[in-house]
Amino acid sequence: MSVTMQLTINGKPRSFDAKNFTITQLIINLNLEGKRLAIECNGEIVPRSQFADIQLADGDKLEIVGAVGGG
């Protein structure tokens, strides 16, 4: 039996088939691994060191921003 989790990512609703879903798993699911990202979950900045530890819950709101280099 699959469990569907609803997340809002950058203002857009998204559904995922997941029960236990971490920020790291979300990054992999969105094909963003290896990118320099800043992630906010429910208004709180999440340190990269905690991506694997933060369990997402149905209804969470995330903002994902990629760092852009340049000068």
Side-chain angles (χ1 to χ4, degrees), residues 23-24 27 32-40 45-54 64-67:
I23 291 178
T24 296
I27 290 168
L32 296 174
E33 60 265 64
K35 306 234 189 260
R36 295 179 59 193
L37 302 171
I39 299 181
E40 180 182 282
I45 298 290
V46 180
R48 180 177 290 276
S49 62
Q50 295 181 14
F51 284 3
D53 300 324
I54 301 294
I64 302 175
V65 179

Side-chain angles (χ1 to χ4, degrees), residues 14-70:
R14 299 277 307 260
S15 295
F16 298 91
D17 289 330
K19 181 177 176 185
N20 296 316
F21 205 46
T22 65
I23 291 178
T24 296
Q25 290 166 315
L26 175 66
I27 290 168
I28 292 167
N29 191 284
L30 296 174
N31 295 318
L32 296 174
E33 60 265 64
K35 306 234 189 260
R36 295 179 59 193
L37 302 171
I39 299 181
E40 180 182 282
C41 182
N42 298 323
E44 298 287 327
I45 298 290
V46 180
R48 180 177 290 276
S49 62
Q50 295 181 14
F51 284 3
D53 300 324
I54 301 294
Q55 290 286 327
L56 297 172
D58 191 50
D60 280 349
K61 291 177 174 49
L62 296 108
E63 293 293 324
I64 302 175
V65 179
V68 177

